[in-house]
Amino acid sequence: LLSVCFGVLSVWIIFRLGTEIISKTAGLFCSFLTAFNYYHILSSQELTIYSMLFCFVLVSYYFFFRSMRRIGI
């Protein structure tokens, strides 16, 4: 159940990341691709660390791009 929660959270975070970097349409497209990706679904069904790792990497990318945008780079 924990890996499923991280998988669903990853889809939402990748939507936020795509919205932060490009646009809302790009965020929707990226989250659609992630939600129907076979390997993402497979890793979210199994109790492995991959879905949690993917979620934490996305969170770190999100905050990185958010801080770069606030700085003005």
Side-chain angles (χ1 to χ4, degrees):
L1 183 64
L2 186 62
S3 60
V4 173
C5 293
F6 279 115
V8 171
L9 186 63
S10 295
V11 173
W12 181 72
I13 292 171
I14 205 159
F15 167 72
R16 299 283 302 190
L17 182 65
T19 304
E20 182 74 28
I21 295 173
I22 302 173
S23 67
K24 189 173 183 178
T25 306
L28 283 172
F29 182 70
C30 292
S31 63
F32 176 78
L33 288 178
T34 304
F36 291 106
N37 188 355
Y38 174 73
Y39 296 109
H40 180 70
I41 294 170
L42 187 67
S43 68
S44 294
Q45 288 177 349
E46 296 177 357
L47 190 57
T48 59
I49 198 167
Y50 299 121
S51 61
M52 185 171 56
L53 178 69
F54 182 63
C55 184
F56 288 148
V57 166
L58 286 176
V59 167
S60 67
Y61 276 136
Y62 174 74
F63 284 118
F64 173 73
F65 282 113
R66 187 174 166 192
S67 65
M68 293 303 260
R69 182 164 295 203
R70 285 189 181 181
I71 292 172
I73 296 176

